[in-house]
Amino acid sequence: MFDKILIANRGEIALRVLRAARELGIQTVAVHSTADADAMHVKLADESVCIGPPPAKDSYLNIPAIVAACEITGAEAVHPGYGFLSENAKFAEILKSHNIKFIGPSVENIRTMGDKIEAKRTAKELGIPIVPGSEGGVHDIATARKVGKDIGYPVIIKATAGGGGRGMKVANSEAELELAVSTAQSEAKAAFGNGEVYIEKYLEKPRHIEIQILGDGQGRAIHLGERDCSLQRRHQKIWEEAHSPALNAKQRDEIGARVSNAMAKMSYEGVGTIEFLFENNEFYFIEMNTRLQVEHPVTEAITGLDLVQEQIRVAAGAALAYKQSDIQFSGHAIECRINAENPLTFIPSPGKVNDVHFPGGLGVRVDSALYSGYRIPPYYDSLIGKLIVFGKSRAECMMRLRRSLSEFVVDGVETTIPLFQKLLAEPDILDGHYDIHWLEKYLARTKM
Amino acid sequence: MFDKILIANRGEIALRVLRAARELGIQTVAVHSTADADAMHVKLADESVCIGPPPAKDSYLNIPAIVAACEITGAEAVHPGYGFLSENAKFAEILKSHNIKFIGPSVENIRTMGDKIEAKRTAKELGIPIVPGSEGGVHDIATARKVGKDIGYPVIIKATAGGGGRGMKVANSEAELELAVSTAQSEAKAAFGNGEVYIEKYLEKPRHIEIQILGDGQGRAIHLGERDCSLQRRHQKIWEEAHSPALNAKQRDEIGARVSNAMAKMSYEGVGTIEFLFENNEFYFIEMNTRLQVEHPVTEAITGLDLVQEQIRVAAGAALAYKQSDIQFSGHAIECRINAENPLTFIPSPGKVNDVHFPGGLGVRVDSALYSGYRIPPYYDSLIGKLIVFGKSRAECMMRLRRSLSEFVVDGVETTIPLFQKLLAEPDILDGHYDIHWLEKYLARTKM
Amino acid sequence: MPVKKKSAASEPKESAELSLIRKLAAILDETGLTEIELDHKGARVRVSKSVQMASMVHSAPTIQHSAPALVVAGSQVATEEISGTPLKSPMVGTAYLSPSPELPAFAALGSMVKEGQTVLIIEAMKTMNQIAAPKSGKLVKVNIKNAQPVEYGEVLMVIQ
Amino acid sequence: MPVKKKSAASEPKESAELSLIRKLAAILDETGLTEIELDHKGARVRVSKSVQMASMVHSAPTIQHSAPALVVAGSQVATEEISGTPLKSPMVGTAYLSPSPELPAFAALGSMVKEGQTVLIIEAMKTMNQIAAPKSGKLVKVNIKNAQPVEYGEVLMVIQ
């Protein structure tokens, strides 16, 4: 096991990693920008090193500074948290060349999964379901009809050279196909100078469901069930739960087995998440995150595993301590991301936090680096804490969530706590009936 | 289910009950003395009623005031917490006569188990192991020898009329018996004017192990495993854990089954605890607490049940929702009682709390009614919070405890947090090798 | 205490107490003291002067952001400053201003009451408790309505 | 009670009590006490004086009670006030005061340095980074030892 690790991150996740390390008896080094000199992870770490000025590119993304911080402190390994350098293959490579262990997967795995096209190709090869569609460009209507028949309607016609919604047309049936293809082709030609289009299955109301996996880089991998992260605003998740209200045990086992087999074949090391869209009981691969996820605590709640400790263990060379059959799911967990933002406009609200009071009691976990008197710097993202609530059932979990939100005090800045309190009054949320568009529609509807 | 309950207590347990009620969708009424007008449970309750001046006898023990508070608020039931009126049969009786439900066992059960002699007799009748000894007084050495042979040495000779250690003698073998009996007899005669003595098995280094039970008052009862509460100072528990480091699954099942059978026979309703001394793998009944226990959260941690919610459910007439086979134990939990006391002298330290920061993260629960700026009144006990830590194993639990104690900040008053930090450095604690005398000896040893 | 803040030139008619207060106030200013309490021949006088505390320690946190604790009776709200002797509720219960709905109040607002005279009843645990006036005087304030729940320590009436 | 330090302007007519208060006030000042209460021949006097509260708002909570965060380099400690232009570390690394152990320092304490002149080297990621004097002047302070780890923003030297 490592004697000392460096935490190349800030905020709640730096604290999360610090806690895991401390519980493993590992010394911690915090790095921080000048703006974060008073941050909780800096106060609690065994050692700390200021690595640069406030802008992330000069501090938390500053690879030479972080490597130098390892050198002067003698840290043997780096935990990158999420965001910042956590999926940066170059960073992993440089650490390797300096004989510092990157706590995460291999450089190759990061690189493969970091490239969208390569990731999709790899996923397909490894048996992970992807969005069905034409193989490459479609040039004539006969081919288009054949594809449509194969994959089923509705379909979406997209420009090969495209992006940003232009050159995209939906066909709900074969009757609409010809017009849709020709329109898409001419729009594509006009917009990108290239009229080539391809066809994919069109998902109308998908959920975002992701599978948590854990591998040891030695050919063993297991899955830890799914998380439903469909409640998103501008592609930012705000509420995650495990299990998904939409999945049953059989579906979970099936997709989980597929994904963990794929990861075993890749010799994937550490934790990772395969993100899917889910509609009509089918999974469609979106991307893989080769790192710890913000929402990992809901998986910890229903499995009892400490994902960060497991990450560190396999990084130190240990084989996976669990077989798939060792993993028992129990209860239900929900995470709410508490952001320092106006709950209606979502305008960030940095500044001094006069008073903080965290909810407590049975089934309540708070991951937050806030403290009374802390000043939230304006340079980084607005996530200031996560409230994770566990219950025997989803219903108990929701009641506990309502109770703990009512105890959560952050005085001095605006937070998204009131949004979650409002969501708990929505029948769709109570019933688990939501898709990836639900929150945006809700916000538009309640804006008045 | 009740619509509204009144919480006849204060401090962390009032908050604990409030949380459970809120999660069940039940309205809460807080009662408080004038000294507690700013208390957390008062701030969070749906309604609050000031019932008297600071002295407990005039407020929290003031039965007419509490009944009147029920009347003016329309509360249908009263949760008594622990301490105060929680084991007061008269209170339960008066509530009953006012058609207010006492959340707890029947008046008869409270009364029976509240009388030490009656409790021991009942326990024996119901098959709960008690300390073996002579039946009544022993008047001659021949009888004493026979008793000694039956129960095994060492034995203790106690004055029937006695108390406070006078007239007590230990005999380690039959050779010592005659002198011990005659000395005890003459001491007893001198001290109490009555030379009658009786003989009991003498326990030298017992542990305090207690079994949590839950019954529905309809003839069903289950046990929820044991707690080891051997670490005590002046008979005050300060550290409780589940499971006990000294018990195996077979022993747990055996004693648990005995106790839950006994409770079923009594038609016991709600939660209760049977306390035992445990030595050489034998259990010896001490007493029964017919109420919620301070240390109930460690049981909640390893069973996943919310004991207060279960209490309220059965009080509202529901049958037990669990069979014994539904109860699965997992992991290990430890509770530390955080008192506002000097950690060396244990002198209470009431006063203003400038800043409070609770530890968070995976496996950490804090039950506390403290908040920044709160003034701890000098009128009540010094328990200001409980830190409950859960881990997959005892080792993980201990590491997590160490980590979370280091994050716990209570600024402005002295607390016992440093004591727990010191205890975590003791090999006996790490190994679970302690009995009910361990802490007193440790404190005497480290006083210098 | 009926102190009116007079102009600098104190009239000769001023009572001994007021004069004493002035003197004490002057001593406060002079000495920088913040409080003086004096028992003098049965008269007790306390004068004090607040310091401009700039410190704003956040004494009471805003715990109540979601569910404000509704105190059952509106005691806090009702305590406007009317000087006199307050009659504080000695118990929790339901207060009645008259012996029965048809009968007039024990004591009408503005009427004179005698020390020991029953001025209201508080019902608790089916028992009617007669509450007596703490002193003789004029009933200048009644903070409660008939059949209103009251809590311990709540100011029910004020007698002048 | 041994009271000295009278206030000059005390009128002879002043009552015994007022005079006593003045005396007590003087004692407060003299002794630094904040309150005195005195029962004297049936008269009870209490005087008190608030301390100038320096407002001690807990800005930075005492999170570090167990494991104090040891900053790697002793920058905070070393910054005594010496006026001049500070040379702050532009990077994290190990600072060297001379090109190699056998050679003399790039710039000796008390010597004159020129703007742009290399005054130390910081090694980071096996690279030796030459650090130049930010201005010409006298090197009046060197906060680091040879081969000491330094962090970003740390004041390494001061030039006057």
Side-chain angles (χ1 to χ4, degrees), chain B residues 10-78:
Chain B
R10 64 178 302 282
E12 71 86 20
I13 197 63
L15 182 59
R16 171 70 190 91
V17 174
L18 182 144
R19 286 169 168 164
R22 183 151 290 174
E23 292 175 11
L24 290 170
I26 300 171
Q27 300 274 100
T28 52
V29 179
V31 295
H32 63 91
S33 72
T34 51
D36 278 338
D38 286 328
M40 181 77 114
H41 72 286
V42 177
K43 288 178 190 286
L44 288 174
D46 297 297
E47 297 171 54
S48 68
V49 182
C50 180
I51 52 169
K57 70 172 175 35
D58 300 321
S59 48
Y60 299 105
L61 291 170
N62 182 342
I63 295 177
I66 292 170
V67 174
C70 288
E71 288 173 340
I72 65 172
T73 58
E76 299 148 78
V78 171

Side-chain angles (χ1 to χ4, degrees), chain D residues 23-40:
Chain D
K23 286 178 188 167
L24 292 175
I27 293 178
L28 280 189
D29 275 345
E30 193 184 316
T31 58
L33 288 175
T34 56
E35 188 166 336
I36 299 175
E37 196 166 329
L38 181 64
D39 258 313
H40 176 61

Side-chain angles (χ1 to χ4, degrees), chain B residues 351-362:
Chain B
K352 178 140 178 226
V353 177
N354 300 321
D355 193 44
V356 175
H357 192 87
F358 295 148
L362 178 60

Side-chain angles (χ1 to χ4, degrees), chain B residues 271-283:
Chain B
V271 300
T273 300
I274 322 285
E275 297 191 328
F276 293 99
L277 292 178
F278 180 76
E279 188 170 271
N280 293 326
N281 294 316
E282 296 287 342
F283 286 92

Side-chain angles (χ1 to χ4, degrees), chain A residues 6 63-73, chain D residues 91-94 123-125:
Chain A
L6 183 144
I63 295 178
I66 292 170
V67 174
C70 288
E71 288 173 339
I72 65 173
T73 57
Chain D
M91 63 181 68
V92 182
T94 306
E123 181 190 357
M125 290 181 70

Side-chain angles (χ1 to χ4, degrees), chain B residues 304-319:
Chain B
L305 293 198
D306 184 320
L307 290 188
V308 182
Q309 289 194 11
E310 297 305 329
Q311 253 189 318
I312 296 172
R313 279 202 191 94
V314 298

Side-chain angles (χ1 to χ4, degrees), chain A residues 34 42-53 64 67-68 71-73 94 98 371, chain D residues 58-61 63-64 67-72 92-94 124-126 149-152:
Chain A
T34 51
V42 177
K43 288 178 189 287
L44 288 174
D46 297 297
E47 297 170 52
S48 68
V49 182
C50 179
I51 52 168
V67 174
E71 288 173 339
I72 65 173
T73 57
I94 290 172
H98 282 79
Y371 57 84
Chain D
H58 64 280
S59 47
I63 299 289
Q64 284 138 289
L70 301 168
V71 171
V72 159
V92 182
T94 306
M125 290 181 70
K126 318 290 179 222
V150 297
E151 58 181 350
Y152 173 85

